[in-house]
Amino acid sequence: MLSIKGQFFFIKSRIVNSKSGKGKSAGYRIYFFVNKNNSCIYLLDFYPKTGKYGKPDLTKMQEKLIVKSFREEFASGTLELFLKKREIGK
């Protein structure tokens, strides 16, 4: 887990692909933010580590760009508007 000061935790993790039989190395990489204040989890990126769509881990710079983009969208209210629209559509 990569901690960010304030209300968020940035988490990078691996998920096993149970169909591959190769463990975490053939699984998925997932990046998400946890907001401590409202107990929400925001998925930032998710991709396979191997195969046709596989790619290597993000660099530290790419991680920082994802975090920066998320924080800007969150601060502007863009994400909250999207979430409210999704709730209305249920």
Side-chain angles (χ1 to χ4, degrees):
M1 175 167 53
L2 307 172
S3 179
I4 302 236
K5 292 181 182 178
Q7 71 189 72
F8 296 107
F9 284 102
F10 175 64
I11 300 174
K12 171 177 130 175
S13 188
R14 293 175 294 184
I15 299 174
V16 175
N17 179 354
S18 59
K19 293 184 179 184
S20 75
K22 296 180 182 178
K24 290 181 183 178
S25 65
Y28 300 91
R29 174 69 68 198
I30 185 169
Y31 296 88
F32 54 97
F33 251 47
V34 176
N35 184 334
K36 296 186 297 185
N37 292 344
N38 66 6
S39 302
C40 285
I41 297 173
Y42 300 91
L43 178 63
L44 302 180
D45 200 2
F46 179 81
Y47 59 86
K49 294 173 68 180
T50 60
K52 181 178 178 181
Y53 301 104
K55 62 181 181 178
D57 290 349
L58 298 179
T59 65
K60 294 294 179 193
M61 182 57 74
Q62 289 170 319
E63 288 177 359
K64 287 179 183 181
L65 288 172
I66 287 174
V67 170
K68 181 180 179 221
S69 175
F70 170 79
R71 294 184 99 175
E72 288 171 355
E73 287 185 38
F74 187 83
S76 73
T78 305
L79 293 175
E80 296 302 322
L81 290 173
F82 174 75
L83 294 173
K84 286 178 184 174
K85 287 180 183 177
R86 297 279 298 179
E87 288 175 6
I88 292 170
K90 286 184 179 180

